[in-house]
Amino acid sequence: MASGSDRNPIIIGGLPSQVPDFDPEETQEWLDSLDAAVDERGRERARYLMLRLIERAREKRVAVPEMRSTDYVNTIATKDEPFFPGNEEIERKVLNATRWNAAVMVSRAQRPGIGVGGHIATFASSASLYDVGFNHFFRGKDEGDGGDQIFFQGHASPGVYARAYLLDRLGENQLDAFRQEKSKAPDGLSSYPHPRLMPDFWEFPTVSMGLGPLGAIYQARMNRYMEARGIADTSKSHVWAYLGDGEMDEPESLGQLSIAAREGLDNLTFVVNCNLQRLDGPVRGNGKIMQELESQFRGAGWNVIKLVWDRSWDPLLAQDRDGILVNKLNTTPDGQFQTYATETGAYIRDHFFGDDHRLRAMVENMTDDQILHLGRGGHDHKKIYAAYAAAKAHKGQPTVILAQTVKGWTLGPNFEGRNATHQMKKLTVEDLKGFRDRLHLPIPDKDLEDGVPPYYHPGRNSEEIQYMHDRRKGLGGYVPTRVVRAEPLKLPDDKAYAGAKKGSGQQKIATTMAFVRILKDLMRDKEIGKRFVPIAPDEYRTFGMDAFFPSAKIYNPLGQQYESVDRELLLAYKESPTGQMLHDGITEAGCTASLIAAGSAYATHGEPLIPVYVFYSMFGFQRTGDQFWQMADQLARGFVLGATAGRTTLTGEGLQHADGHSQLLASTNPACVSYDPAYGYEIAHIVKDGLRRMYGENAEDIFYYLTVYNEPTQHPAEPAGADVEGILKGLHRVKPGEKGEHSAQILASGVAVPWAVEAQQILADEWNVKADVWSATSWNELRRDAVDAEEHNLLHPEEEQRVPYVTRKLQGAEGPKVAVSDWMRAVPDQIARWVPGTYQSLGADGFGFADTRGAARRFFHIDAQSIVLGVLTELAKEGKVDRSLLKQAIDRYQLLDVAAADAGEAGGDA
């Protein structure tokens, strides 16, 4: 294909790049010098020299255009394409069988009585892109390492299943159980890549668009991190992410390109399937998505390889001495190319080549059929191989391959390039016959006319199948495959938690600091200390974790090439190529991607990591909740810390920082074990049990979410005979009532426990009420236990009926129960139906705002005095006290006047 000096360039970066050459001999000397640098010193050295020349040119004020966009032709010239090592004829037969089975599987899933659907067109367009990877590039795990990490495009899953069927990894019964995971268990196949549903097959969930590219970037970065810290040899692992051009509109798809370039992640390749269509229409009907993406990736510092046209265009482009064909390609919008994919050769001759006599002359000796089959590069195995090989060979930058395809390719005129293709799930008999003929498959008409269409398998001993097995054997095993090789960790004993169990003495500390102290002790452990991966979005100091800087250091593959502005401080900012802390900048999405990559390392690389992600709690489940769902699907493990939790605790920050609902959001994630502890000794037991459940024997595929606060309070020492079971199950009594005629129970969580203790004292001293105070360490776990009990009782009426833990715990507790927290009432209301007796909750419903803690709590009526009123109200309902006392309490404490409240504890970032 014409490239470089073989064709006229276009205007690039706003500057004319086509200027007269007044001294061709001198020009050739410069070009020869560059060639010599490449040949003798390598591409990396040549790249450095070019960058220095550009830098010097700018110093001399020489206007050098930025090459953000190149011609609409292949980046790799035909003369530069490497030898294709495969047997293209056999690979074509393999691919044809795969194409057929993928389409038939979806069509059969749409048969009467089933109707579960599926998607055909995405894989049809990207089939060759995957096939070249399977046959020549994707490394398996049989060599004992993690192999390659491949993020398959979610809607292409039928093609991956179809290939696995040819390799006898899946049977026909399993293909027929596509999207019937329960009714056809254990044969059911998940609709998309879902590791939780198929834990031996899929590795990475990708169908929530945008999370695949984000996850791939941080997976490649995690590979480098693990190698730098000596945890695993990941030098052979390459990360491949298969994406759609429409998917690139998701903010997550492009939002973190810079970190991949900044850290030189040349172990990462994006393959963007540019079939020019979204789900229901063109991606850029009036524009050119490949050109747009090229500019964005180049601007972010990526190596860009465009794969636009197949080999049938090579002779035409070789004739294009005056650049008229390239100009036509450059100026034709995507919407028109989409139309060409659905039209006849005659139409293309008239509308593409027909408006210039020089273009018409190029194709005058071609038939309409030949013009019709001028194809897209993403369907050409040799062109794809050249692009992949170049991507693997490129050093110093991540690579993106922009490959043009036709959506629904080979499926026939009713599918190819049609806007409705994504929603089309069933092939008619005529569609099937045309599809079969296009693929040259020996399937008789009667098999297509009678009932459901058959699958096609050329035979286990056929040349095609043996070729497939040989290729996978040479590349280290079958993919995708998920393998868990990690051994249980030797966990620390009770000594590691002794400090937290002593309490804070006379000092007041926030629960965030209590957790940080525990983490610091755990990171000193000789067995597992190095496996902790602290992660924060640019606020380690806010969370009191700057104490980690001198010893653990911040990971940066380039180290610290500057003198830190705070270098004189004891807790100076310190970066290192072997640093343990991930300081990803102000990006919760990036941090969560790091969390997922680290939390699944036990499976990806057979080496467990223990990520500890600490963030402003408002910016966790609310902002990146989709990624926490992805984390659950990927079976990742680790600790998630919602610091600065609570709707009233983060004073001064206001509405968008005040989290009063993340515990409720966390309750929707089945893999999330969430806690809202009040004291350091509770945190110690929760963390210890979390390590046991996630990293000990019979490890569970869960992750822990702890909400911790920035308000300093006094932490008591762990009492003798502490109710550890209650702490872990979600409810334990922390302070029994001592005096009073009437009884009541106050259930509180997190920062609200001290308010409850204060209310307990007021009730005893002023209202003759004896109230017990309970710490509800987990409203969510109490509800989960109760739901499990109810489900068991529903399905096993003949067995002894289970009683929820919260019911048993409060069965003998006298008086009404009043719950209070710094969350909206829906959080403690989760357990209402299982609490015996009268139950009422107080909470911070509505938007948060900036004010003192005392004023905010008085506004929401959750402070100690409001708890007193709540208890008296419930006692009045039961007839234990006169209702006149309620107005007395309101007046005495001025509960209707926000300004009358004590300001409360001030400060305390951590």
Side-chain angles (χ1 to χ4, degrees):
M1 184 169 289
S3 67
S5 59
D6 294 338
R7 62 172 184 267
N8 292 328
I10 60 173
I11 291 178
I12 300 169
L15 295 171
S17 58
Q18 182 180 349
V19 294
D21 188 349
F22 296 112
D23 193 341
E25 291 185 9
E26 183 184 29
T27 302
Q28 192 60 48
E29 289 174 5
W30 280 87
L31 295 176
D32 291 343
S33 296
L34 177 60
D35 291 345
V38 173
D39 295 340
E40 296 175 16
R41 302 296 301 279
R43 293 179 178 176
E44 195 164 346
R45 174 61 180 168
R47 178 175 178 268
Y48 175 79
L49 292 173
M50 288 298 298
L51 291 173
R52 287 303 302 271
L53 283 171
I54 292 171
E55 183 180 56
R56 180 56 57 85
R58 288 175 178 167
E59 290 173 0
K60 298 292 186 180
R61 302 186 185 279
V62 177
V64 179
E66 295 182 20
M67 296 184 63
R68 291 192 299 270
S69 180
T70 59
D71 289 338
Y72 201 59
V73 293
N74 295 347
T75 301
I76 301 173
T78 305
K79 62 183 178 60
D80 296 328
E81 290 174 7
F83 169 75
F84 180 69
N87 185 318
E88 198 168 7
E89 177 62 22
I90 293 179
E91 291 188 19
R92 183 187 62 79
K93 292 180 179 179
V94 166
L95 184 55
N96 287 350
T98 305
R99 286 182 181 279
W100 175 267
N101 290 328
V104 165
M105 180 181 71
V106 173
S107 188
R108 286 165 71 122
Q110 198 63 14
R111 63 191 182 274
I114 303 295
V116 293
H119 298 284
I120 300 176
T122 293
F123 177 71
S125 67
S126 58
S128 295
L129 298 173
Y130 286 115
D131 209 51
V132 173
F134 278 120
N135 287 329
H136 302 285
F137 291 94
F138 300 158
R139 290 182 60 253
K141 298 176 181 288
D142 287 357
E143 295 179 8
D145 62 7
D148 284 355
Q149 288 80 56
I150 307 155
F151 289 71
F152 293 94
Q153 193 178 3
H155 291 110
S157 62
V160 182
Y161 292 142
R163 196 172 211 278
Y165 165 71
L166 293 176
L167 290 166
D168 283 335
R169 299 184 66 205
L170 297 175
E172 185 171 323
N173 57 329
Q174 289 170 293
L175 296 194
D176 270 347
F178 176 57
R179 291 192 168 193
Q180 300 152 74
E181 297 168 62
K182 300 300 182 184
S183 62
K184 295 289 182 66
D187 293 329
L189 297 182
S190 63
S191 52
Y192 304 120
H194 291 307
R196 182 166 286 274
L197 300 176
M198 296 179 64
D200 299 324
F201 193 85
W202 296 114
E203 278 199 284
F204 305 104
T206 53
V207 80
S208 188
M209 293 189 190
L211 299 192
L214 182 67
I217 289 172
Y218 282 87
Q219 182 62 58
R221 196 253 199 131
M222 185 57 60
N223 289 359
R224 290 285 170 82
Y225 170 89
M226 294 181 72
E227 186 169 10
R229 296 196 53 233
I231 293 173
D233 180 3
T234 62
S235 58
K236 295 180 180 179
S237 291
H238 197 85
V239 178
W240 302 84
Y242 285 80
L243 319 166
D245 48 0
E247 179 181 6
M248 303 312 288
D249 283 342
E250 289 284 3
E252 296 87 353
S253 296
L254 299 173
Q256 293 297 308
L257 297 184
S258 59
I259 189 173
R262 188 167 65 246
E263 298 196 6
L265 298 181
D266 50 25
N267 60 338
L268 171 66
T269 298
F270 277 14
V271 180
V272 184
N273 174 23
C274 297
N275 58 32
L276 313 185
Q277 282 187 234
R278 296 188 181 124
L279 304 185
D280 291 314
V283 180
R284 297 289 186 274
N286 293 322
K288 299 179 82 65
I289 186 60
M290 292 184 73
Q291 304 297 80
E292 180 181 319
L293 291 175
E294 179 184 27
S295 296
Q296 290 173 318
F297 277 93
R298 283 189 188 278
W302 285 53
N303 174 45
V304 179
I305 298 174
K306 284 197 307 200
L307 175 55
V308 193
W309 308 113
D310 73 7
R311 71 193 75 176
S312 64
W313 285 88
D314 290 350
L316 295 178
L317 286 162
Q319 301 175 42
D320 190 33
R321 291 297 176 181
D322 56 3
I324 188 63
L325 177 56
V326 170
N327 182 64
K328 183 67 174 180
L329 296 171
N330 287 337
T331 56
T332 301
D334 284 355
Q336 192 62 45
F337 277 124
Q338 189 181 354
T339 298
Y340 291 144
T342 67
E343 285 292 346
T344 64
Y347 179 94
I348 298 170
R349 184 191 299 274
D350 291 341
H351 290 80
F352 182 81
F353 295 101
D355 58 357
D356 188 290
H357 71 278
R358 292 168 295 179
L359 287 176
R360 291 197 300 272
M362 284 186 181
V363 295
E364 63 183 0
N365 294 323
M366 295 178 66
T367 66
D368 287 348
D369 188 64
Q370 288 173 320
I371 291 175
L372 178 65
H373 288 94
L374 289 170
R376 314 292 167 97
H379 303 308
D380 188 322
H381 278 212
K382 287 185 177 181
K383 301 286 186 184
I384 297 168
Y385 180 88
Y388 286 8
K392 286 291 297 290
H394 189 78
K395 300 300 179 186
Q397 292 173 290
T399 293
V400 60
I401 297 170
L402 305 174
Q404 185 174 191
T405 66
V406 175
K407 195 162 187 176
W409 181 242
T410 72
L411 290 174
N414 293 329
F415 283 78
E416 289 181 353
R418 303 291 176 180
N419 281 337
T421 291
H422 187 78
Q423 306 302 331
M424 297 168 70
K425 308 176 188 304
K426 190 171 179 62
L427 294 156
T428 66
V429 172
E430 291 308 310
D431 289 333
L432 287 167
K433 289 180 179 179
F435 187 32
R436 173 206 58 192
D437 294 342
R438 180 95 172 254
L439 300 179
H440 307 286
L441 298 178
I443 301 172
D445 284 352
K446 64 180 181 61
D447 289 354
L448 304 179
E449 295 166 352
D450 300 333
V452 294
Y455 296 113
Y456 173 73
H457 197 296
R460 288 180 175 83
N461 297 320
S462 66
E463 184 181 33
E464 302 97 285
I465 301 304
Q466 291 306 309
Y467 182 90
M468 294 175 74
H469 283 296
D470 290 344
R471 294 309 307 140
R472 292 315 313 158
K473 182 178 180 180
L475 287 165
Y478 300 102
V479 291
T481 298
R482 183 177 179 275
V483 180
V484 179
R485 296 192 177 103
E487 296 295 326
L489 297 179
K490 183 179 179 181
L491 301 176
D493 57 24
D494 287 341
K495 294 179 182 178
Y497 307 97
K501 293 180 180 181
K502 291 179 182 178
S504 63
Q506 297 302 309
Q507 181 188 11
K508 289 184 176 182
I509 65 170
T511 47
T512 301
M513 182 54 67
F515 175 84
V516 168
R517 290 178 177 179
I518 293 170
L519 177 60
K520 191 170 185 180
D521 288 339
L522 289 172
M523 287 174 64
R524 292 191 182 114
D525 184 83
K526 293 181 179 179
E527 295 290 338
I528 69 167
K530 70 176 184 178
R531 296 186 181 274
F532 282 93
V533 184
I535 305 167
D538 200 39
E539 293 199 285
Y540 277 123
R541 293 189 192 277
T542 299
F543 306 135
M545 298 176 71
D546 46 348
F548 295 15
F549 289 167
S551 55
K553 300 183 179 61
I554 296 158
Y555 171 72
N556 187 322
L558 301 177
Q560 187 164 309
Q561 301 177 6
Y562 61 92
E563 285 189 324
S564 173
V565 68
D566 59 1
R567 62 189 179 281
E568 302 298 331
L569 298 179
L570 179 64
L571 304 180
Y573 193 88
K574 185 64 177 175
E575 299 180 81
S576 168
T578 58
Q580 189 167 359
M581 307 170 74
L582 293 180
H583 208 186
D584 286 347
I586 306 176
T587 165
E588 284 81 9
C591 290
T592 310
S594 286
L595 163 72
I596 296 169
S600 53
Y602 74 94
T604 310
H605 293 293
E607 292 289 348
L609 294 177
I610 309 172
V612 180
Y613 172 32
V614 190
F615 54 87
Y616 259 52
S617 66
M618 186 68 159
F619 307 133
F621 275 86
Q622 175 167 303
R623 175 169 287 187
T624 56
D626 195 13
Q627 286 179 275
F628 287 120
W629 203 259
Q630 178 191 25
M631 181 178 185
D633 197 348
Q634 198 163 317
L635 310 177
R637 305 164 183 168
F639 291 94
V640 177
L641 273 293
T644 63
R647 184 141 282 161
T648 69
T649 307
L650 192 57
T651 58
E653 291 294 327
L655 183 148
Q656 286 190 294
H657 285 66
D659 173 22
H661 53 281
S662 70
Q663 280 286 346
L664 196 63
L665 299 176
S667 73
T668 66
N669 192 313
C672 179
V673 181
S674 61
Y675 287 94
D676 187 33
Y679 299 130
Y681 73 86
E682 293 177 332
I683 297 174
H685 285 292
I686 292 167
V687 170
K688 180 183 178 182
D689 195 57
L691 288 173
R692 177 191 65 81
R693 290 181 66 183
M694 294 186 289
Y695 298 95
E697 297 287 344
N698 302 312
E700 300 175 58
D701 298 318
I702 55 178
F703 66 96
Y704 271 53
Y705 177 52
L706 279 69
T707 43
V708 288
Y709 301 81
N710 73 323
E711 181 174 357
T713 60
Q714 208 165 334
H715 290 230
E718 180 179 312
D723 182 5
V724 177
E725 180 189 52
I727 292 172
L728 299 179
K729 285 187 173 294
L731 185 66
H732 70 114
R733 186 162 54 184
V734 293
K735 192 170 184 181
E738 296 179 355
K739 60 179 181 179
E741 178 184 354
H742 307 292
S743 296
Q745 311 296 321
I746 305 175
L747 284 61
S749 70
V751 77
V753 172
W755 318 336
V757 172
E758 183 183 351
Q760 177 190 53
Q761 190 67 47
I762 296 172
L763 285 164
D765 292 344
E766 302 181 25
W767 303 97
N768 196 26
V769 175
K770 181 178 69 172
D772 293 347
V773 175
W774 300 75
S775 175
T777 53
S778 181
W779 309 102
N780 294 352
E781 287 303 293
L782 290 173
R783 179 186 183 278
R784 187 169 288 171
D785 168 82
V787 169
D788 288 345
E790 281 199 347
E791 183 177 18
H792 176 271
N793 295 342
L794 177 69
L795 300 177
H796 303 88
E798 75 286 357
E799 297 182 10
E800 181 180 354
Q801 299 292 277
R802 293 180 182 175
V803 179
Y805 183 82
V806 65
T807 306
R808 286 185 280 121
K809 203 71 174 175
L810 295 173
Q811 194 68 61
E814 298 180 359
K817 287 82 178 175
V818 175
V820 63
S821 73
D822 209 9
W823 307 100
M824 61 192 300
R825 290 174 58 180
V827 175
D829 281 353
Q830 292 180 97
I831 65 169
R833 63 180 290 179
W834 299 288
V835 175
T838 304
Y839 182 76
Q840 184 56 271
S841 65
L842 305 175
D845 286 73
F847 290 112
F849 53 87
D851 212 315
T852 65
R853 288 173 175 142
R857 287 161 189 168
R858 178 61 53 86
F859 175 84
F860 287 116
H861 306 301
I862 55 175
D863 59 356
Q865 292 76 16
S866 297
I867 297 171
V868 169
L869 177 62
V871 171
L872 293 176
T873 299
E874 295 308 309
L875 286 170
K877 289 179 181 178
E878 294 183 356
K880 302 290 179 61
V881 301
D882 193 275
R883 288 190 61 83
S884 63
L885 296 183
L886 306 183
K887 183 66 166 64
Q888 292 179 34
I890 292 171
D891 293 341
R892 180 182 302 181
Y893 304 127
Q894 298 177 269
L895 294 181
L896 300 180
D897 184 1
V898 172
D902 181 87
E905 188 73 42
D909 282 342

